[in-house]
């Protein structure tokens, strides 16, 4: 497939299944991720959230069913073309091996010039733009591993932004952060998707964060889709009870007005 432009595109999943050694991790998933939206994947540990986002990002191969991106099965995309269309950030990013923020962000340009290609004016401009959008200008020359957790996560997000795709796949980008940095990082993701018209898919543990920052939510339980809709449709006691198996109460946030859930 020819390289796509960086406009937002969506995913369609039909009959998707994934198994390891005969053990089903995901089964019979049917869902759509709309272009230009920020979609949250929620559910308890082991529900299949990370597996799903890895299947969307071609990090895994389905054992059944199909994943389509921008109208084409992901298996039919060329490797470089897909990397120019979809950026994937795993939960465990690993060490940055002494790289500065600017050097790390520059790695996002790899799909556009390859291992032997030279950085051109466009590459430098994309890196600088990503650093600026993520508020990292003051840290551009700093070693990534010397940054705080929130700053470091912003640097990795800037790397995916420099990749200049129309879609970001983020697997638990806030899992190791305190609540202030969670709000900072998710607010950044939401703003970037709005400013650049990108599609965002975010795996989250905190349903309240999903309700606050996502346009739509898909909830998994035992490898199956149990709920799907806008936050207001998901954030009800009955729906949350089905997802998490406990009684939960829902109220409006006192200043934002978004729904907030707590165990009750």
């Amino acid at each position: 497939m020819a390289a796509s432009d960086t406009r937002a595109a969506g995913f369609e999943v039909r009959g998707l299944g994934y198994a390891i050694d005969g053990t089903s991790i995901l089964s019979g998933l049917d869902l759509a991720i709309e272009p230009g939206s920020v979609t949250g994947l929620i559910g308890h540990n082991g529900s299949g959230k990370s597996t799903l986002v890895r299947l969307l990002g071609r990090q895994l191969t389905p054992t059944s069913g199909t994943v389509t991106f921008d109208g084409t099965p992901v298996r039919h995309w060329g490797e470089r073309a897909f990397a120019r269309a979809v950026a994937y950030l795993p939960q465990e990013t690993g060490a940055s091996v002494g790289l500065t923020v600017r050097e790390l962000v520059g790695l996002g340009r790899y799909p556009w010039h390859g291992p032997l290609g030279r950085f051109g004016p466009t590459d430098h401009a994309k890196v600088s733009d990503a650093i600026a959008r993520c508020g990292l200008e003051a840290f551009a020359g700093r070693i990534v591993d010397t940054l705080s957790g929130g700053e470091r996560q912003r640097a990795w997000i800037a790397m995916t932004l420099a990749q200049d795709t129309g879609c970001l796949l983020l697997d638990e980008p806030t899992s190791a952060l305190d609540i202030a940095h969670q709000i900072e990082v998710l607010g950044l993701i939401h703003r970037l998707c709005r400013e650049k018209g990108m599609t965002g898919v975010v795996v989250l543990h905190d349903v309240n964060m999903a309700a606050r920052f996502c346009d739509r939510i898909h909830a998994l339980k035992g490898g199956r889709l149990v709920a799907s809709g806008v936050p207001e449709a998901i954030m009800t006691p009955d729906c949350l009870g089905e997802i998490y198996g406990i009684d939960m109460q829902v109220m409006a946030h006192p200043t934002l007005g978004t729904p907030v859930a707590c165990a009750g």
Side-chain angles (χ1 to χ4, degrees), residues 63-153:
T63 52
S64 62
T66 59
V67 178
T68 299
F69 177 70
D70 199 17
T72 300
V74 296
R75 67 180 185 277
H76 293 163
W77 282 75
E79 184 174 347
R80 179 169 290 188
F82 193 74
R84 291 178 174 183
V86 178
Y88 166 74
L89 186 64
Q91 182 179 350
E92 299 292 337
T93 54
S96 49
V97 200
L99 296 176
T100 67
V101 169
R102 185 172 292 278
E103 289 168 340
L104 176 66
V105 176
L107 296 179
R109 298 302 299 162
Y110 178 85
W112 296 93
H113 61 72
L116 301 179
R118 286 187 170 185
F119 250 53
T122 298
D123 297 304
H124 287 292
K126 295 292 184 182
V127 169
S128 294
D129 179 67
I131 288 172
R133 286 181 183 271
C134 293
L136 292 167
E137 298 101 318
F139 304 101
R142 285 271 300 275
I143 300 298
V144 174
D145 290 340
T146 68
L147 302 179
S148 72
E151 293 161 353
R152 189 161 54 248
Q153 195 67 333

